[in-house]
Amino acid sequence: MPRDTDEKKTRKALRKLRKAAERAEAEGIELSEWEQEFVEGIDERLNKYGSAFNDPNLGASDEALSRAQTEILRQLDKKSRGKGGSSFKQRKPLKAKKSGKTFTPNVRDLNDDVEPPADAPVAPKKPELSVIKAVDLGKKPESTRAKATDVKDGTKRTPYKVSPFRVIEGGKSESES
């Protein structure tokens, strides 16, 4: 189902399109292949449908040309008048300026501000660690004392101390969980 477009706007767009093409031909300015196809395609769609676009997001619903088509037609008109070259040329990438100077960033080196320490501090020695065996609460303390006296070098050591903690019966058991 075609859209309702303003017939005045359709005729105006057709007139601008044809004038731009005729003026370019009269001035001897050659339109590129793409520009010629654009003019022919827009002309055909305006005559057949009254509008050259279908998607309402591309322009107003009563307009004959979309915003992009209007801009391209404006550029074609400028080209046909000789006021500027075609803006449809491929753009060249930006290049860095070449000069004899090399770029040096204006930054501060943090190492310049730090003075080396006069006397290097001696790292403290790590304390020697020994393994402490856990006391099994199920065993009697006498067995631990016997082990303390059975030392190979013959010296007596103090017996292991019994942990001040004790197990209280009646708590949650593993079988309940």
Side-chain angles (χ1 to χ4, degrees):
M1 181 172 137
R3 233 178 37 247
D4 291 332
T5 57
D6 191 3
E7 290 184 28
K8 282 184 175 181
K9 292 181 180 183
T10 302
R11 287 193 305 265
K12 182 179 177 182
L14 269 171
R15 187 174 60 251
K16 281 185 175 184
L17 189 68
R18 289 180 182 154
K19 274 190 174 183
E22 290 170 3
R23 189 178 301 121
E25 189 178 315
E27 295 289 326
I29 299 172
E30 283 191 40
L31 296 177
S32 68
E33 184 179 328
W34 182 88
E35 291 168 335
Q36 289 174 351
E37 287 180 22
F38 175 79
V39 169
E40 291 169 3
I42 295 292
D43 187 52
E44 179 184 334
R45 282 183 257 148
L46 286 175
N47 287 326
K48 188 173 183 179
Y49 303 111
S51 175
F53 71 102
N54 192 25
D55 190 358
N57 293 329
L58 300 177
S61 61
D62 63 336
E63 293 289 331
L65 298 175
S66 69
R67 285 181 229 108
Q69 291 167 338
T70 305
E71 181 61 31
I72 292 170
L73 181 58
R74 190 176 300 127
Q75 291 174 357
L76 283 174
D77 190 42
K78 281 173 76 175
K79 183 179 180 180
S80 69
R81 292 174 191 263
K83 291 187 176 182
S86 174
S87 65
F88 303 118
K89 295 178 184 174
Q90 184 177 5
R91 293 183 179 178
K92 295 178 184 175
L94 297 174
K95 294 183 180 177
K97 295 179 183 178
K98 294 183 179 179
S99 64
K101 299 177 184 177
T102 58
F103 176 73
T104 55
N106 188 15
V107 295
R108 189 175 95 188
D109 187 9
L110 296 176
N111 296 328
D112 292 343
D113 295 342
V114 178
E115 295 179 12
D119 294 326
V122 178
K125 283 190 163 184
K126 292 182 181 178
E128 292 184 23
L129 302 176
S130 60
V131 179
I132 300 173
K133 294 184 180 180
V135 176
D136 187 12
L137 296 176
K139 296 182 180 178
K140 294 183 179 180
E142 291 83 28
S143 64
T144 57
R145 285 189 194 127
K147 286 183 183 177
T149 57
D150 296 339
V151 179
K152 291 180 181 179
D153 59 1
T155 59
K156 267 194 165 183
R157 293 188 183 172
T158 59
Y160 294 125
K161 292 182 180 179
V162 178
S163 173
F165 298 106
R166 57 188 175 142
V167 177
I168 300 173
E169 297 293 326
K172 185 176 180 183
S173 67
E174 291 180 17
S175 62
E176 291 177 18
S177 56

